[in-house]
Amino acid sequence: METSEMLKSFGLSDKAVELGEKYEKELEKRFEEIDKTAEYNQLKVIKAMQENRLSDIHFAATTGYGYNDIGRETLEKVYASIFHTEDALVRPQITCGTHALTIALAANLRPGDELLSPVGKPYDTLEGVIGIKEQKGSLKEFGISYSQVDLLPDGGFDLNGIKKAINEKTKMVTIQRSKGYQTRPTLSVERIGELISFIRSVKPEVIIMVDNCYGEFVEKIEPSDVGADLCVGSLIKNPGGGLVASGGYIVGKEEYIENCAFRLTAPGLGKEVGATLGINQSMFQGLFLAPTVVASALKGAIFAAKIFEDLGYPCIPNGTEPRYDIIQAVTLGSAEKLIAFCGGIQAASPVDSFVVPEGWAMPGYNSDVIMAAGNFIQGSSIELSADGPITEPYAVYFQGGLTWYHAKLGILTALDRVLKTEK
Ligand SMILES: *Cc1c(COP(=O)(O)O)cnc(C)c1O
């Protein structure tokens, strides 16, 4: 059977399959560039594993306190090598990206300090963490204040505003690399580097943290290569390569990582404790696969942008601009189309393909959110997934794909469902 026939056996229309063939051809050159970055990052990961003498013994399980877990210690060294940082905290006990970011902030800020975001509003779930939105246990409740400088209308940094916002209380700066659920552009590592240099010229001793979620391995360099003191992310996104069942990472300066470890476990215990219960092997193997998995996700994102843009749906980023994260926003313009798109992604999944996604009031979010994912790992958004708040402008945020072929099937199925609503 031809592959096109096989695609049609999933119920895809001739039109969807034809559009798929057309755009896949058009994107050959872009895909080649993505593969080149993936190769570079693959080598970076292998080198880090070799330099830290990764061995079979590191895959053994520890229990209880988890003292002397050499697998865990080696994993953290490998992360530090990849990100070129002094130290790393990579743990299954970090429950998600929000938790990792919370640890990094709460560990390094003290009452009376101020946190600054020079790139506008942070990710939704951080509003409660910081206290932008009233929330028990927020940083605000502990006497930590927050200030924010929005990006300029053209997406540039408001350098004057940032300079004015930095004061004697400013202890930490948080920079979000990815757009998250916003329609602003994602920041390239180079631009993050420029922003960091500027901030350092105003206040050299400030601690600069980058929320690196969805950005890992998209470029050849990471924010820690351009001066970030801390980089933070989730292991059920890019660096877990789709294999890690749970966890988060924080890499950066030794002093700040120690603070994070004291906050995650307990002051004085820090990195010494934390049983890994046998998951080290998946942490290493997922990291090993991550560069190629990220490449698959990037191909899917660009493919989706190309197709939907040509059909008249605004896409951020658009089909031709460079990529700095794996998220693709497509503005679908109606709840019906948003739900149809998500239904298509779900129907093309290897797991739970028979489930119909619906919107729900997800904790931490301001409106109903619809999420589609037929995942091996619950909530993993490095796996093919689509989500979006069911509110104006009805944009779907689409990401992931452990393999390009699955991403392609998912996008074509979503496309077909959206096309049907147009009739
Ligand atoms: C996903 C994400 C987070 C939060 O991660 P969770 O694992 O969902 O808690 C924070 N910031 C950005 C930019 C993200 O994409």
Side-chain angles (χ1 to χ4, degrees), residues 237-310:
K237 292 181 179 172
N238 305 16
L243 291 190
V244 177
S246 166
Y249 78 89
I250 307 171
V251 293
K253 292 235 165 77
E254 194 178 351
E255 178 191 352
Y256 307 140
I257 295 293
E258 182 173 60
N259 286 340
C260 292
F262 283 173
R263 176 75 197 199
L264 171 66
T265 65
L269 301 184
K271 291 182 75 176
E272 302 297 316
V273 295
T276 50
L277 312 170
I279 79 155
N280 282 338
Q281 183 262 346
S282 74
M283 296 272 213
F284 285 112
Q285 196 173 355
L287 180 63
F288 173 77
L289 291 175
T292 49
V293 169
V294 169
S296 300
L298 274 173
K299 288 176 186 175
I302 293 171
F303 183 72
K306 263 281 186 201
I307 295 186
F308 279 90
E309 195 172 64
D310 272 15

Side-chain angles (χ1 to χ4, degrees), residues 45-124:
V45 169
I46 294 172
K47 185 166 262 175
M49 289 179 172
Q50 291 180 352
E51 281 172 0
N52 291 288
R53 301 176 63 84
L54 179 61
S55 181
D56 189 51
I57 194 171
H58 297 133
F59 305 149
T62 56
T63 56
Y65 293 112
Y67 291 133
N68 305 313
D69 186 323
I70 57 170
R72 182 189 70 213
E73 288 164 13
T74 302
L75 178 72
E76 291 179 338
K77 284 184 190 151
V78 167
Y79 263 77
S81 296
I82 289 170
F83 285 89
H84 305 116
T85 55
E86 291 173 6
D87 206 353
L89 188 66
V90 188
R91 302 287 168 126
Q93 289 87 6
I94 300 178
T95 57
C96 59
T98 305
H99 186 199
L101 289 157
T102 303
I103 291 165
L105 292 170
N108 288 291
L109 289 160
R110 294 291 179 272
D113 289 343
E114 187 160 287
L115 170 69
L116 166 68
S117 171
V119 296
K121 191 183 86 64
Y123 196 74
D124 272 14

Side-chain angles (χ1 to χ4, degrees), residues 96-98 101 123 125 176 178 180 211 213-214 234 237:
C96 59
T98 305
L101 289 157
Y123 196 74
T125 56
Q176 185 177 308
S178 168
D211 174 352
C213 282
Y214 288 131
S234 164
K237 292 181 179 172

Side-chain angles (χ1 to χ4, degrees), residues 179 182-186 314-318 321 323 327-331:
K179 66 179 113 35
Q182 293 173 67
T183 44
R184 66 132 161 119
T186 286
C315 291
I316 299 179
N318 68 32
E321 65 190 292
R323 297 277 153 165
I327 302 184
Q328 180 60 50
V330 181
T331 303

Side-chain angles (χ1 to χ4, degrees), residues 124 127 133 181 338 359-371 388-395:
D124 272 14
E127 289 184 43
K133 198 173 75 185
Y181 277 162
L338 174 58
W360 62 299
M362 214 186 137
Y365 293 86
N366 291 328
S367 56
D368 274 10
V369 177
I370 183 165
M371 297 198 151
I390 307 185
T391 179
E392 288 283 349
Y394 301 101

